[in-house]
PDB file of all heavy atoms in Angstrom:
ATOM      1  N   ASP F 892      -3.313  20.672   5.201  1.00 85.00           N
ATOM      2  CA  ASP F 892      -3.810  19.310   5.152  1.00 85.00           C
ATOM      3  C   ASP F 892      -3.073  18.437   6.186  1.00 85.00           C
ATOM      4  O   ASP F 892      -1.842  18.594   6.400  1.00 85.00           O
ATOM      5  CB  ASP F 892      -3.670  18.689   3.816  1.00 85.00           C
ATOM      6  CG  ASP F 892      -2.292  18.440   3.377  1.00 85.00           C
ATOM      7  OD1 ASP F 892      -1.635  19.417   2.914  1.00 85.00           O
ATOM      8  OD2 ASP F 892      -1.789  17.302   3.489  1.00 85.00           O
ATOM      9  N   LYS F 893      -3.755  17.558   6.862  1.00 90.00           N
ATOM     10  CA  LYS F 893      -3.129  16.559   7.754  1.00 90.00           C
ATOM     11  C   LYS F 893      -3.731  15.196   7.363  1.00 90.00           C
ATOM     12  O   LYS F 893      -4.407  14.574   8.111  1.00 90.00           O
ATOM     13  CB  LYS F 893      -3.463  16.872   9.197  1.00 90.00           C
ATOM     14  CG  LYS F 893      -2.872  18.180   9.770  1.00 90.00           C
ATOM     15  CD  LYS F 893      -1.361  18.033   9.921  1.00 90.00           C
ATOM     16  CE  LYS F 893      -0.771  19.303  10.586  1.00 90.00           C
ATOM     17  NZ  LYS F 893       0.694  19.159  10.724  1.00 90.00           N
ATOM     18  N   VAL F 894      -3.376  14.784   6.127  1.00 92.00           N
ATOM     19  CA  VAL F 894      -3.842  13.517   5.610  1.00 92.00           C
ATOM     20  C   VAL F 894      -3.000  12.382   6.225  1.00 92.00           C
ATOM     21  O   VAL F 894      -1.843  12.280   5.971  1.00 92.00           O
ATOM     22  CB  VAL F 894      -3.849  13.499   4.085  1.00 92.00           C
ATOM     23  CG1 VAL F 894      -4.345  12.099   3.596  1.00 92.00           C
ATOM     24  CG2 VAL F 894      -4.722  14.618   3.475  1.00 92.00           C
ATOM     25  N   LYS F 895      -3.656  11.539   7.053  1.00 93.00           N
ATOM     26  CA  LYS F 895      -2.921  10.473   7.682  1.00 93.00           C
ATOM     27  C   LYS F 895      -3.035   9.208   6.794  1.00 93.00           C
ATOM     28  O   LYS F 895      -2.032   8.492   6.581  1.00 93.00           O
ATOM     29  CB  LYS F 895      -3.577  10.145   9.049  1.00 93.00           C
ATOM     30  CG  LYS F 895      -3.422  11.366  10.048  1.00 93.00           C
ATOM     31  CD  LYS F 895      -3.905  10.999  11.360  1.00 93.00           C
ATOM     32  CE  LYS F 895      -5.445  10.876  11.390  1.00 93.00           C
ATOM     33  NZ  LYS F 895      -5.953  10.645  12.771  1.00 93.00           N
ATOM     34  N   ASP F 896      -4.217   8.883   6.287  1.00 94.00           N
ATOM     35  CA  ASP F 896      -4.417   7.682   5.488  1.00 94.00           C
ATOM     36  C   ASP F 896      -5.369   7.989   4.323  1.00 94.00           C
ATOM     37  O   ASP F 896      -6.549   8.065   4.494  1.00 94.00           O
ATOM     38  CB  ASP F 896      -4.991   6.534   6.352  1.00 94.00           C
ATOM     39  CG  ASP F 896      -4.946   5.253   5.630  1.00 94.00           C
ATOM     40  OD1 ASP F 896      -4.863   5.199   4.397  1.00 94.00           O
ATOM     41  OD2 ASP F 896      -5.077   4.196   6.365  1.00 94.00           O
ATOM     42  N   PRO F 897      -4.862   8.156   3.095  1.00 93.00           N
ATOM     43  CA  PRO F 897      -5.704   8.483   1.931  1.00 93.00           C
ATOM     44  C   PRO F 897      -6.654   7.379   1.537  1.00 93.00           C
ATOM     45  O   PRO F 897      -7.524   7.606   0.793  1.00 93.00           O
ATOM     46  CB  PRO F 897      -4.696   8.751   0.808  1.00 93.00           C
ATOM     47  CG  PRO F 897      -3.408   8.035   1.244  1.00 93.00           C
ATOM     48  CD  PRO F 897      -3.439   8.074   2.728  1.00 93.00           C
ATOM     49  N   SER F 898      -6.469   6.155   2.138  1.00 95.00           N
ATOM     50  CA  SER F 898      -7.451   5.103   1.800  1.00 95.00           C
ATOM     51  C   SER F 898      -8.798   5.306   2.499  1.00 95.00           C
ATOM     52  O   SER F 898      -9.744   4.468   2.239  1.00 95.00           O
ATOM     53  CB  SER F 898      -6.857   3.763   2.153  1.00 95.00           C
ATOM     54  OG  SER F 898      -6.855   3.508   3.571  1.00 95.00           O
ATOM     55  N   PHE F 899      -8.908   6.402   3.310  1.00 97.00           N
ATOM     56  CA  PHE F 899     -10.131   6.825   3.918  1.00 97.00           C
ATOM     57  C   PHE F 899     -10.673   8.100   3.255  1.00 97.00           C
ATOM     58  O   PHE F 899     -11.259   8.927   3.951  1.00 97.00           O
ATOM     59  CB  PHE F 899      -9.985   6.976   5.475  1.00 97.00           C
ATOM     60  CG  PHE F 899      -9.855   5.653   6.220  1.00 97.00           C
ATOM     61  CD1 PHE F 899      -8.585   5.061   6.247  1.00 97.00           C
ATOM     62  CD2 PHE F 899     -10.921   5.082   6.746  1.00 97.00           C
ATOM     63  CE1 PHE F 899      -8.479   3.837   6.918  1.00 97.00           C
ATOM     64  CE2 PHE F 899     -10.815   3.891   7.479  1.00 97.00           C
ATOM     65  CZ  PHE F 899      -9.616   3.241   7.515  1.00 97.00           C
ATOM     66  N   ASP F 900     -10.343   8.331   2.001  1.00 96.00           N
ATOM     67  CA  ASP F 900     -10.638   9.546   1.315  1.00 96.00           C
ATOM     68  C   ASP F 900     -12.171   9.566   0.910  1.00 96.00           C
ATOM     69  O   ASP F 900     -12.460   9.514  -0.233  1.00 96.00           O
ATOM     70  CB  ASP F 900      -9.770   9.686   0.039  1.00 96.00           C
ATOM     71  CG  ASP F 900      -9.986  11.000  -0.726  1.00 96.00           C
ATOM     72  OD1 ASP F 900     -10.490  11.955  -0.001  1.00 96.00           O
ATOM     73  OD2 ASP F 900      -9.653  11.025  -1.833  1.00 96.00           O
ATOM     74  N   ILE F 901     -12.955   9.770   1.905  1.00 97.00           N
ATOM     75  CA  ILE F 901     -14.448   9.777   1.724  1.00 97.00           C
ATOM     76  C   ILE F 901     -15.041  10.766   2.697  1.00 97.00           C
ATOM     77  O   ILE F 901     -14.470  10.964   3.750  1.00 97.00           O
ATOM     78  CB  ILE F 901     -15.064   8.356   1.969  1.00 97.00           C
ATOM     79  CG1 ILE F 901     -16.545   8.309   1.459  1.00 97.00           C
ATOM     80  CG2 ILE F 901     -14.921   7.860   3.362  1.00 97.00           C
ATOM     81  CD1 ILE F 901     -17.029   6.935   1.407  1.00 97.00           C
ATOM     82  N   ALA F 902     -16.161  11.419   2.330  1.00 97.00           N
ATOM     83  CA  ALA F 902     -16.807  12.371   3.181  1.00 97.00           C
ATOM     84  C   ALA F 902     -18.240  12.278   3.033  1.00 97.00           C
ATOM     85  O   ALA F 902     -18.740  11.955   1.941  1.00 97.00           O
ATOM     86  CB  ALA F 902     -16.288  13.795   2.932  1.00 97.00           C
ATOM     87  N   LEU F 903     -19.056  12.513   4.111  1.00 98.00           N
ATOM     88  CA  LEU F 903     -20.505  12.632   4.117  1.00 98.00           C
ATOM     89  C   LEU F 903     -20.879  14.158   4.313  1.00 98.00           C
ATOM     90  O   LEU F 903     -20.252  14.782   5.184  1.00 98.00           O
ATOM     91  CB  LEU F 903     -21.166  11.752   5.070  1.00 98.00           C
ATOM     92  CG  LEU F 903     -20.952  10.269   4.842  1.00 98.00           C
ATOM     93  CD1 LEU F 903     -21.535   9.470   5.981  1.00 98.00           C
ATOM     94  CD2 LEU F 903     -21.746   9.860   3.587  1.00 98.00           C
ATOM     95  N   LEU F 904     -21.863  14.624   3.493  1.00 98.00           N
ATOM     96  CA  LEU F 904     -22.329  15.920   3.715  1.00 98.00           C
ATOM     97  C   LEU F 904     -23.750  15.860   4.182  1.00 98.00           C
ATOM     98  O   LEU F 904     -24.666  15.210   3.559  1.00 98.00           O
ATOM     99  CB  LEU F 904     -22.317  16.686   2.302  1.00 98.00           C
ATOM    100  CG  LEU F 904     -21.008  16.715   1.473  1.00 98.00           C
ATOM    101  CD1 LEU F 904     -21.188  17.371   0.198  1.00 98.00           C
ATOM    102  CD2 LEU F 904     -19.885  17.326   2.385  1.00 98.00           C
ATOM    103  N   ARG F 905     -24.032  16.540   5.288  1.00 97.00           N
ATOM    104  CA  ARG F 905     -25.356  16.684   5.812  1.00 97.00           C
ATOM    105  C   ARG F 905     -25.922  17.987   5.220  1.00 97.00           C
ATOM    106  O   ARG F 905     -25.363  19.024   5.336  1.00 97.00           O
ATOM    107  CB  ARG F 905     -25.302  16.681   7.299  1.00 97.00           C
ATOM    108  CG  ARG F 905     -26.645  17.163   7.926  1.00 97.00           C
ATOM    109  CD  ARG F 905     -27.658  16.045   8.073  1.00 97.00           C
ATOM    110  NE  ARG F 905     -28.843  16.519   8.892  1.00 97.00           N
ATOM    111  CZ  ARG F 905     -29.791  15.768   9.269  1.00 97.00           C
ATOM    112  NH1 ARG F 905     -29.749  14.476   9.018  1.00 97.00           N
ATOM    113  NH2 ARG F 905     -30.811  16.212   9.966  1.00 97.00           N
ATOM    114  N   LEU F 906     -27.083  17.865   4.584  1.00 96.00           N
ATOM    115  CA  LEU F 906     -27.734  19.005   3.870  1.00 96.00           C
ATOM    116  C   LEU F 906     -28.692  19.659   4.873  1.00 96.00           C
ATOM    117  O   LEU F 906     -29.454  18.997   5.572  1.00 96.00           O
ATOM    118  CB  LEU F 906     -28.404  18.582   2.607  1.00 96.00           C
ATOM    119  CG  LEU F 906     -27.552  17.773   1.624  1.00 96.00           C
ATOM    120  CD1 LEU F 906     -28.370  17.363   0.428  1.00 96.00           C
ATOM    121  CD2 LEU F 906     -26.309  18.566   1.175  1.00 96.00           C
ATOM    122  N   LYS F 907     -28.746  21.065   4.754  1.00 95.00           N
ATOM    123  CA  LYS F 907     -29.659  21.719   5.671  1.00 95.00           C
ATOM    124  C   LYS F 907     -31.084  21.505   5.152  1.00 95.00           C
ATOM    125  O   LYS F 907     -32.013  21.350   5.936  1.00 95.00           O
ATOM    126  CB  LYS F 907     -29.329  23.260   5.625  1.00 95.00           C
ATOM    127  CG  LYS F 907     -30.119  24.073   6.572  1.00 95.00           C
ATOM    128  CD  LYS F 907     -29.658  25.480   6.695  1.00 95.00           C
ATOM    129  CE  LYS F 907     -30.499  26.339   7.647  1.00 95.00           C
ATOM    130  NZ  LYS F 907     -29.996  27.770   7.661  1.00 95.00           N
ATOM    131  N   GLN F 908     -31.324  21.600   3.858  1.00 92.00           N
ATOM    132  CA  GLN F 908     -32.657  21.410   3.225  1.00 92.00           C
ATOM    133  C   GLN F 908     -32.623  20.060   2.531  1.00 92.00           C
ATOM    134  O   GLN F 908     -31.850  19.913   1.616  1.00 92.00           O
ATOM    135  CB  GLN F 908     -33.004  22.567   2.321  1.00 92.00           C
ATOM    136  CG  GLN F 908     -33.154  23.921   2.995  1.00 92.00           C
ATOM    137  CD  GLN F 908     -31.784  24.633   3.116  1.00 92.00           C
ATOM    138  OE1 GLN F 908     -30.878  24.266   2.434  1.00 92.00           O
ATOM    139  NE2 GLN F 908     -31.750  25.634   3.899  1.00 92.00           N
ATOM    140  N   PRO F 909     -33.538  19.181   2.943  1.00 92.00           N
ATOM    141  CA  PRO F 909     -33.600  17.938   2.226  1.00 92.00           C
ATOM    142  C   PRO F 909     -34.020  17.990   0.756  1.00 92.00           C
ATOM    143  O   PRO F 909     -34.768  18.895   0.435  1.00 92.00           O
ATOM    144  CB  PRO F 909     -34.633  17.057   3.117  1.00 92.00           C
ATOM    145  CG  PRO F 909     -35.473  18.153   3.772  1.00 92.00           C
ATOM    146  CD  PRO F 909     -34.567  19.235   3.982  1.00 92.00           C
TER     147      PRO F 909
END
Side-chain angles (χ1 to χ4, degrees):
D892 68 280
K893 293 288 183 181
V894 178
K895 296 184 290 185
D896 190 343
S898 74
F899 287 83
D900 185 20
I901 191 170
L903 290 173
L904 309 177
R905 167 82 174 188
L906 307 177
K907 185 175 181 180
Q908 296 84 15

